Amino acid sequence: MSEELTPTEPIAATAAGPEESEEPIKQRKNGLYPGVSDELAENMKSGWADTELRDLEPIPQAAETAARRAALSARFPGERLVIPAGNLKTRSNDTEYPFRASVEYTWLTGNQTEDGVLVMEPVADGHRATIYLLPRSDRENGEFWLSGQGELWVGRRHSLTEAGQLYGIPASDVRELAGALREATGPVRVVRGYDAGIEAALTDKVTAERDEELRVYLSEARLVKDAFEIGELQKAVDSTVRGFEDVVRVLDKAQATSERYIEGTFFLRARVEGNDVGYGSICAAGPHACTLHWVRNDGPVRPGDLLLLDAGVETHTYYTADVTRTLPIDGRYTEIQKKIYDAVYEAQEAGIAAVRPGAKYRDFHDASQRVLAAKLVEWGLVEGPVERVLELGLQRRWTLHGTGHMLGLDVHDCAAARQETYVDGVLEPGMCLTVEPGLYFQADDLTVPEEYRGIGVRIEDDILVTEDGNRNLSAALPRRSDEVEAWMAALKK
């Protein structure tokens, strides 16, 4: 990795002979380019072709983002609304984490640029939207080659004119925004937690309570997906299906290495077809399957064990899939593995059947838990009747988690929504959620027979609520145990 030049760092001279090294290069005296000769500074200013992109087509979701901004405007009339994308975060020293814009900003603009800010300024008939971005790197002051975030280091960014064409929103220089916000009058709300500089400029103009109302609204507004979002979720799922197929094809190689071979295999599909993985892939073999968020992925992959693979591709527009399959590493479930797997499958079937418009959000969880509780009673692991088990929550020793969550731009989407509109709410067409029951028998659980210990099973699919029921977006991945075995055998041929 190349070392960056900064305005406080001299450029390393090329190798010179003894005579040259004794004669210092003339430096600028005004400090504009410390360590840079006048001749080089002038040379770098000119001789560059015009690369402005003209007649750009708007992004595919421009109509949808405009409709979302219109709804936001109607909800908060007469108020200035400030929604930042966020800033780069340092990973270590002079390297940053890959940037991912805030979901609120992305959902309203389609833009994913660091330091971006959407401002909705109140006007007589609603709001005037402006997207504030960094303009193209300045060739005159040397930022494009001297700054670590200049275009020669991190790549070209869109001009403000180009951005306006792409996103359908007039674009302005974000470096002027903080000052303008300090001078602004009237009520203001900001989405907090993404841009400390923008928040500081609004310190005396906002309240935590009012800002939280904005954040909650933007979370609840994403509960029902539009057609563009549903299409992106299907793309994410389709790529995820191919990623699972990739993993099955290389299970023999994973057995020679570790769970990280599985993680890397799936990640390759995510990076080739999407932006990234939507969350840290859980590649849990053997007893690791009993750890709900096993992301270390450094354990062995052994024939005879199960692999719980919970992974999802994130599209270039940030929509993510979230799918889990529990696979026999050598292609065949043992008798006890199949017994537990089939119980979870039955519970998932009951949960999926409960997903329909007008149903309570909690219904699919309750349906799945009832099946699992009945199985635990049947197996003699807990004393019945089933109603008693459910009332006391005794099944939770082995079921552990909720049966699903909303899905979208975040893997756990709409997390700031109020309880009454989410977990205590009613399902509507366009909502997308996961159904993912599981049974987990810890390796050290002395309350179950030894043959159960170390077995963890989860099956998860991404379910869209439709006008007349639901659609399983991830139906292309087999779920029934015999179908899983046949699918794996066909992929290994």
Side-chain angles (χ1 to χ4, degrees):
M1 184 177 187
S2 300
E3 186 176 358
E4 295 174 1
L5 289 170
T6 69
T8 58
E9 252 180 329
I11 298 176
T14 54
E19 297 84 6
E20 292 177 313
S21 63
E22 294 173 1
E23 183 67 29
I25 297 173
K26 178 184 177 184
Q27 306 295 333
R28 294 182 70 94
K29 303 302 183 185
N30 60 12
L32 185 58
Y33 302 109
V36 176
S37 70
D38 288 342
E39 288 80 2
L40 178 57
E42 289 302 317
N43 178 275
M44 291 297 287
K45 289 182 181 181
S46 60
W48 305 101
D50 177 10
T51 61
E52 183 76 5
L53 304 175
R54 295 172 175 83
D55 301 320
L56 292 174
E57 292 293 323
I59 57 173
Q61 67 270 43
E64 285 81 3
T65 55
R68 297 165 195 166
R69 293 193 300 274
L72 174 63
S73 174
R75 172 62 181 80
F76 298 101
E79 303 185 53
R80 182 175 281 100
L81 309 173
V82 182
I83 301 97
N87 315 124
L88 289 171
K89 291 182 173 60
T90 299
R91 180 178 185 272
S92 178
N93 192 21
D94 60 348
T95 60
E96 292 85 22
Y97 287 105
F99 179 74
R100 190 181 191 274
S102 73
V103 294
E104 295 89 349
Y105 174 85
T106 302
W107 188 71
L108 290 166
T109 67
N111 179 258
Q112 300 173 4
T113 307
E114 65 268 19
D115 302 324
V117 184
L118 172 68
V119 176
M120 303 278 287
E121 184 176 351
V123 293
D125 58 349
H127 285 81
R128 180 175 63 247
T130 304
I131 187 170
Y132 287 85
L133 303 166
L134 282 172
R136 291 285 307 280
S137 285
D138 192 333
R139 302 289 170 118
E140 190 64 28
N141 69 9
E143 182 262 348
F144 80 106
W145 67 291
L146 289 171
S147 167
Q149 294 303 314
E151 290 186 5
L152 292 192
W153 289 102
V154 297
R156 183 188 188 278
R157 54 185 178 249
H158 286 297
S159 72
L160 299 180
T161 300
E162 292 169 354
Q165 293 175 347
L166 284 170
Y167 305 109
I169 313 170
S172 293
D173 190 337
V174 72
R175 294 171 297 186
E176 302 169 359
L177 178 58
L181 291 176
R182 290 188 188 96
E183 301 299 322
T185 58
V188 184
R189 297 178 192 256
V190 62
V191 177
R192 300 190 182 202
Y194 297 116
D195 194 317
I198 293 299
E199 289 179 36
L202 294 169
T203 298
D204 60 347
K205 303 178 189 298
V206 295
T207 67
E209 181 180 4
R210 285 163 48 77
D211 292 347
E212 181 64 10
E213 289 175 355
L214 173 60
R215 188 173 79 102
V216 168
Y217 167 80
L218 290 172
S219 194
E220 294 181 354
R222 301 200 311 275
L223 284 167
V224 175
K225 271 57 181 178
D226 58 37
F228 176 84
E229 294 179 291
I230 293 169
E232 290 300 294
L233 285 167
Q234 187 65 69
K235 286 182 189 176
V237 169
D238 291 345
S239 288
T240 298
V241 169
R242 290 187 283 273
F244 273 69
E245 292 171 346
D246 296 339
V247 167
V248 170
R249 292 190 180 101
V250 301
L251 277 177
D252 56 336
K253 294 182 174 64
Q255 291 177 43
T257 54
S258 76
E259 295 161 337
R260 293 203 172 170
Y261 201 98
I262 295 167
E263 179 183 1
T265 298
F266 187 85
F267 180 69
L268 177 61
R269 177 66 64 174
R271 286 295 279 167
V272 167
E273 295 191 359
N275 178 59
D276 204 334
V277 289
Y279 52 95
S281 298
I282 299 168
C283 308
H288 289 163
C290 298
T291 302
L292 295 184
H293 288 171
W294 178 260
V295 293
R296 298 181 203 170
N297 298 335
D298 58 359
V301 180
R302 299 188 181 100
D305 282 346
L306 295 175
L307 167 67
L308 191 157
L309 178 58
D310 184 337
V313 171
E314 177 186 85
T315 66
H316 294 291
T317 56
Y318 288 175
Y319 289 87
T320 186
D322 183 8
V323 177
T324 306
R325 290 294 183 269
T326 306
L327 311 173
I329 291 169
D330 57 9
R332 302 282 294 182
Y333 294 101
T334 67
E335 183 177 347
I336 184 64
Q337 289 169 353
K338 186 175 186 299
K339 173 183 174 179
I340 296 169
Y341 183 94
D342 287 350
V344 174
Y345 171 77
E346 186 178 330
Q348 194 201 26
E349 283 283 272
I352 293 174
V355 176
R356 58 183 179 274
K360 294 178 181 177
Y361 174 83
R362 293 181 184 270
D363 286 352
F364 74 93
H365 169 76
D366 293 342
S368 292
Q369 291 290 298
R370 179 171 293 278
V371 171
L372 294 178
K375 293 294 181 182
L376 293 168
V377 171
E378 176 187 330
W379 298 342
L381 302 184
V382 64
E383 182 182 347
V386 171
E387 292 299 336
R388 168 184 172 271
V389 174
L390 293 170
E391 182 180 355
L392 298 176
L394 302 180
Q395 82 284 0
R396 293 180 60 183
R397 180 182 178 106
W398 302 283
T399 65
L400 295 179
H401 56 78
T403 308
H405 51 80
M406 291 296 178
L407 188 66
L409 282 169
D410 276 330
V411 65
H412 295 140
D413 206 26
C414 312
R418 293 166 297 169
Q419 181 167 318
E420 58 265 33
T421 62
Y422 189 164
V423 296
D424 288 338
V426 174
L427 297 180
E428 300 177 40
M431 290 182 172
C432 188
L433 51 91
T434 66
V435 177
E436 49 175 313
L439 281 173
Y440 311 91
F441 299 101
Q442 306 299 323
D444 59 351
D445 188 349
L446 301 181
T447 70
V448 301
E450 186 174 358
E451 63 178 349
Y452 286 68
R453 298 174 197 164
I455 294 178
V457 173
R458 181 164 67 252
I459 311 171
E460 177 181 19
D461 285 87
D462 300 342
I463 310 298
L464 174 69
V465 183
T466 61
E467 295 289 345
D468 56 358
N470 69 66
R471 184 169 89 237
N472 185 347
L473 301 181
S474 44
L477 272 182
R479 292 185 296 126
R480 211 173 63 201
S481 56
D482 59 334
E483 293 175 342
V484 169
E485 291 177 341
W487 169 71
M488 293 181 69
L491 288 172
K492 289 181 177 182
K493 286 182 180 178

